[in-house]
Amino acid sequence: MARAKLRTPTPADDLRTGADAPNPVWFKPVMFGFMLLGLAWIIVFYVSQGTLPIPDLQSWNILIGFGIAFVGFLMTTRWR
C-alpha cells in the first residue's frame, strides 16, 4: 500500500477564521470617532474655560476626555 503524502498548508488555504479575521466595516469609524470625541471634549472644556461640557465635574472633564480617547487608542490594538 502506498503511503498518503501529507500536504503542508499554503497561504491560499488560510480561511481567515478567529483572530486573523478582518475587522467589521464599522470598526474604523467607531475607533476614530472615540479618539475625535475625546479630543473635542477636552477642547470644549478649555475653550469654554471650564463651564462646558459638564460644569459640575470641573477638571474631571479632562479625565473623561482622555478616557474616551483612550478607548479609541485601545481599539487600535485590535485593528487588522
Side-chain angles (χ1 to χ4, degrees):
M1 293 207 129
R3 284 190 171 168
K5 197 173 191 182
L6 294 177
R7 188 173 74 86
T8 58
T10 62
D13 295 332
D14 184 21
L15 298 177
R16 295 192 161 245
T17 59
D20 294 334
N23 294 111
V25 176
W26 55 265
F27 192 84
K28 258 197 299 189
V30 170
M31 177 182 70
F32 288 120
F34 274 125
M35 287 189 270
L36 291 174
L37 180 64
L39 179 64
W41 191 286
I42 294 169
I43 290 172
V44 165
F45 175 74
Y46 277 116
V47 169
S48 70
Q49 298 178 357
T51 59
L52 293 174
I54 303 174
D56 292 337
L57 293 179
Q58 300 168 356
S59 294
W60 285 98
N61 279 304
I62 296 171
L63 184 65
I64 292 170
F66 276 116
I68 293 169
F70 187 68
V71 170
F73 285 115
L74 283 178
M75 289 178 74
T76 62
T77 63
R78 300 288 185 180
W79 184 16
R80 304 227 188 288

